[in-house]
Amino acid sequence: MPQAPQSYQGDPDDKEFMSTLAKGLAVLGAFGRLRPTMTLSEAAQVADLSRATARRVLRTLTQLGYVEQVGRTFSLSPQILNLGFSYLSTQSWIDRALPLMRELSERLGETCSAAILQGNDIVYVARVPARRIMSTTLSVGSRLPAMHTALGRVLLGYLDEAEIWRRLKSQRIEAYTPQTITDLQALFDRIRDDREQKFSIVDEELERGLRALAVPVLDRSGQAVGAINLSTHATRTTRNEMRDRFLAELNRLAGQVSSIMV
């Protein structure tokens, strides 16, 4: 599914906003799984910049080592990982969660993932795939629409109602499968219900056959810093079985992770 470029527009009245830095980030954000390489013209178009500006940005990023150039095409260099790992290193809960997720995945034979909320997307920060192969290929850094994932809905529930509505209305709701909830009021109600019950189940809404259950990871103040899920194929596990077998396991794991939060 396509990943929309992030917006790097700042407040035009903010005198301290650095538009040059924002343009550089716009170009970096334009690269992704669907656009691993780009020409100068493509980068300018995707990042909504002039060719001259895109050329200066790419030249700077290349000299800094974050972008590589081969002929007319540009791509991210491995050095860009330093930025992502710097963020991950500040999130101690991820290090705590990963071995617990690995043990749970191996014991239950299902994929276990952790994600954070970023805008209208979730971003995977840890993932332990099961040996069973599913059609969805995801890794750390992958993004999915928060509205249609268990990880996303359980995290959206920790926002205030006005902010949930703002995010719902800020994007085009797409039907990925016949089960996808596309009505805004129905989505809002589901998000609030999931917050009330402290878990979310999404059943074949993002992909046929994909069923997932997620719980939040809370800090000491009760705010959600992330979420952890177990995903399975609908032919293997019913919704009731997920509640009976998976929910207690996920809550136990999330509780162990939350216990080390400062």
Side-chain angles (χ1 to χ4, degrees):
M1 60 198 64
Q3 176 182 323
Q6 287 182 257
S7 173
Y8 295 90
Q9 299 292 330
D11 182 351
D13 296 324
D14 186 349
K15 303 301 182 184
E16 298 194 4
F17 180 79
M18 296 179 63
S19 60
T20 302
L21 175 59
K23 292 171 183 176
L25 292 173
V27 171
L28 286 177
F31 290 98
R33 181 172 60 87
L34 298 179
R35 287 184 297 270
T37 64
M38 291 188 292
T39 64
L40 169 62
S41 297
E42 289 169 339
Q45 180 179 11
V46 175
D48 195 23
L49 301 173
S50 68
R51 280 178 55 87
T53 299
R55 183 184 298 108
R56 292 196 299 272
V57 168
L58 287 168
R59 181 183 179 89
T60 301
L61 292 172
T62 300
Q63 290 191 16
L64 292 175
Y66 292 114
V67 167
E68 296 175 340
Q69 180 178 7
V70 177
R72 297 177 59 249
T73 63
F74 298 85
S75 62
L76 295 179
S77 78
Q79 184 171 313
I80 198 70
L81 291 172
N82 293 339
L83 300 179
F85 288 135
S86 295
Y87 168 78
L88 292 177
S89 68
T90 68
Q91 304 297 305
S92 60
W93 71 270
I94 300 172
D95 290 335
R96 170 62 171 161
L98 193 53
L100 299 174
M101 292 167 57
R102 188 173 294 114
E103 187 277 330
L104 184 60
S105 174
E106 291 175 356
R107 180 155 48 84
L108 296 181
E110 304 293 356
T111 296
C112 188
S113 306
I116 60 170
L117 184 65
Q118 187 177 76
N120 290 332
D121 292 338
I122 56 164
V123 181
Y124 284 87
V125 294
R127 185 165 170 83
V128 182
R131 289 189 175 90
R132 299 185 179 102
I133 302 299
M134 299 188 70
S135 63
T136 302
T137 303
L138 299 168
S139 59
V140 172
S142 295
R143 306 170 73 92
L144 288 176
M147 310 296 176
H148 307 302
T149 61
L151 289 162
R153 284 186 191 164
V154 82
L155 289 171
L156 286 166
Y158 282 81
L159 304 175
D160 62 48
E161 294 189 1
E163 178 60 18
I164 295 172
W165 273 115
R166 188 191 71 78
R167 298 194 190 196
L168 283 171
K169 294 176 179 178
S170 69
Q171 69 175 59
R172 183 173 64 87
I173 304 298
E174 181 178 349
Y176 297 98
T177 75
Q179 282 71 44
T180 304
I181 300 173
T182 57
D183 179 77
L184 294 187
Q185 184 64 56
L187 274 171
F188 177 83
D189 292 342
R190 182 64 60 86
I191 290 167
R192 298 305 294 171
D193 289 345
D194 288 349
R195 168 61 190 271
E196 184 71 22
Q197 65 185 6
K198 295 183 173 61
F199 70 88
S200 177
I201 292 180
V202 169
D203 190 3
E204 297 190 85
E205 291 189 44
L206 191 64
E207 178 185 331
R208 287 180 182 272
L210 181 60
R211 184 173 284 160
L213 181 147
V215 300
V217 175
L218 307 179
D219 62 17
R220 293 293 178 87
S221 67
Q223 292 301 304
V225 297
I228 298 174
N229 86 343
L230 282 165
S231 56
T232 183
H233 197 278
T235 58
R236 288 199 302 272
T237 312
T238 67
R239 292 170 63 98
N240 287 336
E241 287 172 338
M242 293 190 81
R243 291 188 186 91
D244 294 341
R245 294 180 54 215
F246 294 172
L247 183 55
E249 298 278 7
L250 279 178
N251 279 331
R252 186 178 302 112
L253 191 159
Q256 290 177 282
V257 175
S258 295
S259 68
I260 57 93
M261 296 277 186
V262 177

